[in-house]
Amino acid sequence: MDRTPSAGGVRSVRVRPVSDRTFHILLALVVALFVLAGAGQLAFSGQARLVVQAAALFVCGVASTVFAVIGIVRTRGVDRKWRLLVSAGPLAALPSAFEWTRQYSSGNPLELQLTPSESLFLIAPLLTIAGLICVPVGAGGGPTRAPPSPDGGWWPRYTHVVIALDSLMIALSILLIAWFAVLRDITHSGISGTSFVIAVTFALALALLVVVLVLVVAFRRPSNGRAVALLGAGLVVLAASETVLVQLSLPDPVSLEGSVPTWLGAATGPLLVGLAMIAPERDSQWSVSPAIRSTTSRSIWSGRVIRNWLHAYMPYLPLSVAAALVLASAVRDGGLYGLPLYLAFCLAGLVTLRQIVVIAENRRLVSDVQRAHQRLEYQAYHDGLTGLANRLLFTRALEEAVTAHSRHGTPVVVLFCDIDHFKTVNDTYGHSAGDELLRTVAARLRTAIRHGDLAARVGGDEFAVLLAGTDTGTSPQTVGEQCARRITTGMRRPITLAGHPQQIQISIGLAIADGRQPCTSAEQILHQADTGMYDAKRRRAKHRQRTPSS
């Protein structure tokens, strides 16, 4: 196991039973072994073919056992646990596979009986299911059901109701596939008693194995995707071949020539599972140096997107296969009858219910996005401390008013307000008292203006007001002065800061753009109001100097 730096400086462990080079060499040997086994099946016939089949099973079983031992010995913890359980499954099935090979090659296959070898064959899928459940997941490997977003995340994350419906849909789809693959033949074969129970139990166990495999791939994100891909391929091949092995033990088995793909699958499946035991984890994107990552990010991104899409839509693969089988059966038999009909109805109901739930989820998601957009828009255009409009929103509204003034001659009236001695309050009572003063001034400013006027905090202790509706019979100068008096009156009530009563003093500047005093830009009229405010502040200071007692 190699330790490599991961994002954020945290060191993560990558499981490597063998090196990448060794793994690729073993993979090439497995492919060569598969080609030789296939060539032997085609080159021989009769009893010689059976000997080749038995030899292929033996060699592949030994090779898969060696791979499994290497993977188990060279791992620790949960990585060893799932390898032990998964490898125990195919290995437990080998004795019964040899037994069924002997029965079939004798020319007089026996009915399924509850012998020790068949018992192991039934235990094998259960051990493999336990191993699949124990496969470790990577970071952010929780349940998710959605295609990838452009930034590589998974959005949205559907509720557990949708995941439960998807799981039921997968289970019913694979049960329907199992019916057409083997359960129908078992029920129509005429066997009964213990043989029937064993055959049906084994078929259902294989179906459950495939269900768990699809659920793990669909709803989890295993840390070693290469191992899970090999494991999945091997288990599907084994399930398909062992399903046919059940058919071989029925009263009307398939011919010897028709069993060739079955024996190839029985030989290849354990090899793929064995390769999964030694498959090393790939280097993550973040363990690559920045210089290399900058040149390879496009290919890494493309591969990750493809894997994410496959991960998202894996649950619909068994549904598509089941739908195709149902359609083919309906066309061939002129309709659906019995269990396939009931399963098809259940699947249709689940798909419909899932779509209803997803539509409701999507509508809720759209509402959440709209509310989030509204919150972000509010935060972008409003001051977080006072709740008034910020300088950006005020400037935008002022620019629109100036544009209307230039086109239609609509008057523009702006008030610029500044709190006197605000720095003294901050230095004397602290910034919390200063914030309280700002909030109080904002609240009183909001009550002093009319509906439709816009009040904004444009600086630390600076506020501005844009008056609306000044194109009435009242002159803009009068409207502005009336608003200034309301603001001044509203500020006269004292405020308690840090337990001390204080009088709010505010200086106001007035700027007007009308027919007599035109304005060409928002900056111009705002500068005029700012200048008027400083003039008012200087007049107030001179008044204090002449009347010290005040």
Side-chain angles (χ1 to χ4, degrees), residues 235-499:
L235 293 179
V236 169
V237 169
L238 278 173
S241 62
E242 291 169 1
T243 296
V244 181
L245 283 177
V246 174
Q247 294 177 328
L248 294 178
S249 295
L250 297 178
D252 296 321
V254 298
S255 64
L256 179 61
E257 290 73 15
S259 67
V260 171
T262 301
W263 298 112
L264 287 177
T268 307
L271 276 179
L272 294 174
V273 174
L275 283 174
M277 301 295 104
I278 60 174
E281 289 187 14
R282 296 181 183 272
D283 293 335
S284 65
Q285 178 183 0
W286 309 112
S287 63
V288 184
S289 64
I292 298 177
R293 186 166 67 242
S294 62
T295 59
T296 60
S297 59
R298 184 180 299 273
S299 60
I300 293 175
W301 166 251
S302 300
R304 183 174 55 174
V305 168
I306 293 174
R307 289 194 300 272
N308 286 347
W309 278 99
L310 291 176
H311 171 89
Y313 291 104
M314 178 62 70
Y316 304 102
L317 178 60
L319 177 63
S320 302
V321 175
L325 290 175
V326 167
L327 181 61
S329 176
V331 171
R332 183 188 61 187
D333 301 334
L336 288 177
Y337 308 96
L339 182 61
L341 178 61
Y342 301 135
L343 291 178
F345 272 123
C346 291
L347 274 177
L350 281 176
V351 172
T352 303
L353 180 59
R354 185 194 184 280
Q355 293 307 311
I356 294 174
V357 173
V358 169
I359 290 174
E361 286 289 316
N362 289 340
R363 293 191 60 168
R364 182 187 61 80
L365 177 64
V366 170
S367 299
D368 292 343
V369 171
Q370 290 176 345
R371 286 193 295 268
H373 177 73
Q374 292 171 356
R375 287 195 299 269
L376 291 175
E377 186 176 18
Y378 180 85
Q379 294 171 1
Y381 292 112
H382 290 79
D383 177 58
L385 179 64
T386 63
L388 296 179
N390 59 14
R391 190 181 189 92
L392 179 62
L393 179 57
F394 184 82
T395 302
R396 177 174 296 183
L398 184 57
E399 288 174 349
E400 294 176 356
V402 170
T403 300
H405 168 72
S406 301
R407 292 178 179 176
H408 310 293
T410 306
V412 180
V413 180
V414 174
L415 297 177
F416 200 93
C417 309
D418 181 84
I419 303 175
D420 296 336
H421 311 298
F422 178 74
K423 185 177 183 302
T424 303
V425 173
N426 266 339
D427 294 340
T428 304
Y429 303 110
H431 289 282
S432 59
D435 292 343
E436 180 64 23
L437 176 59
L438 290 174
R439 285 192 290 265
T440 302
V441 169
R444 296 182 181 182
L445 187 64
R446 191 182 290 110
T447 59
I449 63 177
R450 304 168 304 173
H451 178 72
D453 295 341
L454 177 63
R457 182 188 176 197
V458 295
D461 61 337
E462 297 175 338
F463 298 84
V465 179
L466 175 62
L467 300 182
T470 57
D471 54 349
T472 60
T474 308
S475 67
Q477 182 75 26
T478 303
V479 173
E481 292 174 352
Q482 290 175 350
C483 184
R485 285 194 294 269
R486 290 196 302 271
I487 294 174
T488 303
T489 302
M491 300 300 172
R492 288 177 181 172
R493 300 192 309 273
I495 178 177
T496 301
L497 298 175

Side-chain angles (χ1 to χ4, degrees), residues 49-82:
R49 175 177 288 177
L50 294 177
V51 173
V52 172
Q53 290 177 350
L57 282 175
F58 177 76
V59 173
C60 293
V62 171
S64 62
T65 302
V66 172
F67 293 160
V69 170
I70 293 174
I72 292 170
V73 170
R74 294 178 62 87
T75 53
R76 296 292 185 272
V78 67
D79 292 292
R80 172 179 286 185
K81 182 179 180 181
W82 77 262

